[in-house]
Structures are given as C-alpha cells and as structure tokens.
Amino acid sequence: MTDRAGRWITAQVGRCARSVNEVAKELGCDWHTVNDAVVSYGGALVDHPDRFGTVEALGLDEVLMVRRGPWRRQEFSTQIVDVGRGQLLDVVAGRSATEPMAWLAGRGQSWCDRVRFATLDLSGPYRKVFTLMTPRAIQVADPFHLVRLANAKLDECRRRVQNDTLGHRGRKADPLYRCRRLLTKAEERLDEGGRTRLMGLLRAGDPRGDVATMWQAKEAVRELYSHGDADLALEWVSQLSQDLQDRVYPVEARSLGRTLGNWRHEIAAWHGAHVSNGPTEAANNLIKRVKRAAFGFRDFRNYRIRALLYAGKPDWSLLGSISPR
C-alpha cells in the first residue's frame, strides 16, 4: 500500500466513519491491510501532543463497548470529554475510578488544577476520580440524569402498585398502565384534558396515593431547575431530601430522597456553573455511530483510535505530514 493510500484510508474510516470492510472492498485489499493503515496513521494523529490543551470543564461517562463470551459479559469504556469545547479527549477501558485516575495522573497536577468544573452523572466512582484528582474543581451533577432518576423511581413505584393491586404486570386496560406516558410528561405540558385524564386514572388505580406522591416528587425535582439561585437550590434540595425520607412516603420516594441528600451539593452547583454532561452524551452518540458502522468492536485499541478520529477533533490538516507508527 502506498503512503498516499494509507492517508486516504485514514480519512475515510476516521473522518467519514466508513467501515474498514467497505474501504477494503473498494480498494480490493485485505481488511487487516486497511485496519493497519488506520491504526498507524490514525494513532499518530490522535496522540499528537497539540490535539487538546488546557481544559476548564471536564466530563466523564461510560459506554458499553462489547459483550463477550457465551454469557454476553459486558465490557464498558469511559469517555473523558472537554465539555466546554465538546471534544472527546480520550477513551479508557472500564467504568471504575482506576483508569480515569491514571489518565489524569499522566496529564500532571498543574493540568488537573486548571480544571474548574467537573460534570458527571450520579456515579460514585467518577465522583471519586474528581475528588482525588481535581480537588479544586466544582463537581456538577447533570440535570438530565437527576430528572431521569426521578422518572425511573416514579415508574418503579407505578409498577409496584400495579402488581400489588391487580397481581400482574400492566395491561392495556389497567388504569396505571394507561397513564404511564402522562406520568412522565412535564406537568406544564399537560392540557386540561390530559390533566383530568391523569387524575382520574390515578384515582382508579392508585388506592393509597403512592404513585401520585411520586409524581409530585418528580415535579418537585424538575422545579429545582426553574431558577438560577444556587443558595436557594441547595436549601430546596436539602429540604426535599428530608421530606421524602419520611416514613409515611413510599419506599421509592425514600430512595430518591437519600440520593438527593448524598448529591445535594453537586446538584445545587449547576445553578452557579451552568455546565452539564450534554457534550459528553453527544460524544457517546458519535462513538455509537462508529460502533454501528463497524458492526461492533472486540479490540480496545481499534475502538479507541476510531472513536478519537471521529469524535476527538484531531487536526486533519496534519494528516499529510505526520509520520505513521
């Protein structure tokens, strides 16, 4: 393979997210020949020292990389993202704290000290990473994941009450099953007819009021983001956490209350920082597009290079001058 063909292949597979097999068929050569070119040129491009510099807002999130073996054992990867620029910085194996901590240690303490904000979902291992490696950064819990947790607890409560009252999973004629979409819909988006229908179905299928209580708790969590006052938000989430942990509330509400209490400072920090894990989720979507084009990955090296070529924003003007590995 010529040098020019190797660089063209890297752009086609990395920049355009084409599959290695598709390019190999177009050129009439072997899959391994094309993949070796992508690894050689692409590896030099994504590991270029000037690909990214100082980062002010850092995000972590995980993506399922592969299922292996007869038991379909799941293997995850952790994405490290500059949420200010929306740039994928690197991909490390696993979703524990070990690999991200090693990656940040490799950047040096001065680099870590420049990180002002650290965004994450409600993940204990990722909070440990930021606490130990970027102690000066303000940790921010992602609003989307918090509201999704509240909706998940609401749905968990609905399914429990459904089974307790009727003894089976939801069927299309059951009141709680019929209102499942209305429950997760934002209250302000319900018109008069929708609200009347929701209240009627709850009266018919929720004799103890557990589902209605969880619906109100979910809306209280959403209301937290209707203003930008950090002090008021901290007071709000602290009081809501205490209220929901009362023994009179359903078990799902108490679980949600404990989570709110454990993450109250990170939740309230959003009101001052106004950064979220949205760019990290966007990078995850780009990685999933690469996975679909490749029909999955088994080798972490190939997975990392392909993901960084597509979502890591390398300087493609350097492709004509870099030396392949």
Side-chain angles (χ1 to χ4, degrees), residues 99-142:
E99 293 299 331
M101 288 174 62
W103 188 90
L104 288 170
R107 307 280 77 74
Q109 191 59 47
S110 61
W111 191 92
C112 294
D113 288 341
R114 293 189 181 97
V115 178
R116 295 178 56 204
F117 303 108
T119 66
L120 69 166
D121 54 13
L122 306 180
S123 167
Y126 293 157
R127 177 159 65 174
K128 177 182 177 181
V129 172
F130 289 134
T131 301
L132 296 179
M133 303 306 299
T134 59
R136 297 184 181 181
I138 299 173
Q139 297 183 28
V140 182
D142 186 58

Side-chain angles (χ1 to χ4, degrees), residues 10 37-48 304-305 309 322 325:
T10 303
V38 174
V39 170
S40 298
Y41 292 93
L45 195 60
V46 300
D47 290 332
H48 194 278
R304 173 183 175 270
I305 290 176
L309 284 173
I322 57 171
R325 289 181 174 180

Side-chain angles (χ1 to χ4, degrees), residues 7 24 28 31 36 44 68 70 76 105 111 123 128 130 134 152 159 166 179 213 224 230 233 235-236 258 286 290 303:
R7 298 178 195 274
W31 183 95
D36 289 345
R68 293 188 190 275
F76 288 83
W111 191 92
S123 167
K128 177 182 177 181
F130 289 134
T134 59
R159 287 184 278 112
L166 298 179
C179 70
T213 299
L224 178 66
E235 182 181 356
W236 179 291
R258 288 191 296 270
L286 295 178
V290 173
Y303 171 75

